[in-house]
Every structure is written in structure tokens, then in C-alpha cells.
Amino acid sequence: MKRVLAIAVCFGLSVASLSIGAVAQNIMLDNFENSPEARWGYVADTVMGGVSTGELSFEEEDGKALARLTGEVSTANRGGFIQFRRALDERPADGTEGVRLIARGNGERYFVHLRTTGTALPWQFYQAGFDTTPGWTEVRIPFSQFKASGGMLRSQLRAGTLKSIGIVAYGRDHEAEVEIQEIGFY
């Protein structure tokens, strides 16, 4: 009986350690508390002659902080984006699998843009989209779904090379309203 119990305990420990190791750990980058305006900045296509307009605000709802990006995205004059982004103080470890956010919005598709040590030019980034709903939703985007903005970039990004992250309303004429409650990696 002792031997059966010992085997069960060993088996149980093995299963527990496998389960723990198999679950990707969330890595919080920001929950928009404590002066997020010092970490996040707003950028629009006006830096290159576009005419999109918008704003970034930081608000609180039901005791939770959030970032809100609103505006009008216009493709006129070769434009087509508004975004908020921040530099990464620390790069995620190479074993990191993707981006995680808690988001809601007006039903439009938005994008996460990642810049790496290999994205030297302003128009270079890695992009992946996510759809919004009126309710808060956890979004997980594996790094394998991010596509390079041009042929001069590596086809697959590496987590250890990330230097900034942005939430972007992009690529078509539309009214933007996206809110993020948490952003990080997994």
C-alpha cells in the first residue's frame, strides 16, 4: 500500500508540475495606474502629412484604470492611423509567446504594432489585429500571428528584440474608439 501511495504521490507531483509549466504566465506591462501619461504617447498620421485626428485619455471606471483611444481615421493625403504607444523598459524573455490585453471597443478591428531592434525606419513594425466588442474581453495574440510591415524585416519577430508596443486604429476610414484595461505578454 505504501508503494502504491508513493507512486500516486510521485505521479501527482509530475502531473502538477507539467500543468504548471504548460500554462503560459501572464506578464503585466501596464494597467494604466500611476501616471500612465508618463509612459504612453499619442501619435497620428499627421507626422507624415495625414489628416487623421484623435486623442488618448486615461480614465477610471468601476475602480479600474483604462486607456481610451478615440478619433477619426482618414486615409486622405496618404494617411490612415492614430495610435498610442510606449517604449519597453525591459524586453520580454525569448520564451514569451505573445501579447495579452483586456480590451473593449466599438466593434471595429484594431491592431497591435510591435517595434523591434530591427525596425529602424518609422514605417517598419510588426502588426496583428484584434476585434472589439462593447464588453471587456481578454485578447491573446501569439507572436506567430504578427506580420512584418515590409520585406526588409525578419519574417518572425523575437520577443527578446521588442522595444515598443502600440495600440493602433489603422488602414481605413473609420471612427475609432478602443479602450485597454491591461496590456502585457504571456
Side-chain angles (χ1 to χ4, degrees), residues 39-58:
R39 298 181 299 276
W40 293 89
Y42 171 82
V43 182
D45 58 19
T46 55
V47 299
M48 54 182 238
V51 296
S52 298
T53 59
E55 70 176 349
L56 169 63
S57 61
F58 299 100

Side-chain angles (χ1 to χ4, degrees), residues 5-181:
L5 182 58
I7 291 170
V9 169
C10 288
F11 181 75
L13 290 174
S14 295
V15 170
S17 61
L18 282 175
S19 298
I20 291 168
V23 174
Q25 187 176 24
N26 293 336
I27 304 161
M28 177 70 72
L29 175 61
D30 213 323
N31 62 2
F32 305 101
E33 295 177 354
N34 303 319
S35 304
E37 62 279 355
R39 298 181 299 276
W40 293 89
Y42 171 82
V43 182
D45 58 19
T46 55
V47 299
M48 54 182 238
V51 296
S52 298
T53 59
E55 70 176 349
L56 169 63
S57 61
F58 299 100
E59 303 173 16
E60 188 174 309
E61 181 181 290
D62 298 328
K64 292 276 215 170
L66 61 95
R68 172 182 279 165
L69 178 67
T70 57
E72 294 289 328
V73 179
S74 172
T75 56
N77 208 28
R78 300 180 64 164
F81 75 88
I82 60 173
Q83 73 171 299
F84 68 102
R85 70 178 177 205
R86 73 169 274 184
L88 299 178
D89 299 328
E90 295 179 24
R91 295 186 178 133
D94 275 329
T96 305
E97 297 177 29
V99 173
R100 176 190 171 272
L101 30 114
I102 305 292
R104 72 178 179 190
N106 59 353
E108 294 286 340
R109 185 167 185 78
Y110 296 94
F111 299 89
V112 176
H113 282 190
L114 300 174
R115 293 180 51 80
T116 68
T117 54
T119 56
L121 302 172
W123 54 85
Q124 291 179 317
F125 52 84
Y126 291 87
Q127 172 182 276
F130 64 96
D131 296 312
T132 59
T133 64
W136 291 111
T137 304
E138 179 182 58
V139 177
R140 288 178 176 260
I141 309 170
F143 288 137
S144 61
Q145 288 186 5
F146 283 81
K147 303 297 178 214
S149 63
M152 295 174 50
L153 298 175
R154 297 174 58 101
S155 61
Q156 291 291 318
L157 65 88
R158 293 186 326 247
T161 67
L162 294 180
K163 64 180 185 180
S164 74
I165 187 168
I167 302 297
V168 188
Y170 175 80
R172 67 193 183 292
D173 296 328
H174 69 285
E175 184 176 326
E177 183 178 342
V178 61
E179 298 170 329
I180 307 296
Q181 200 173 67

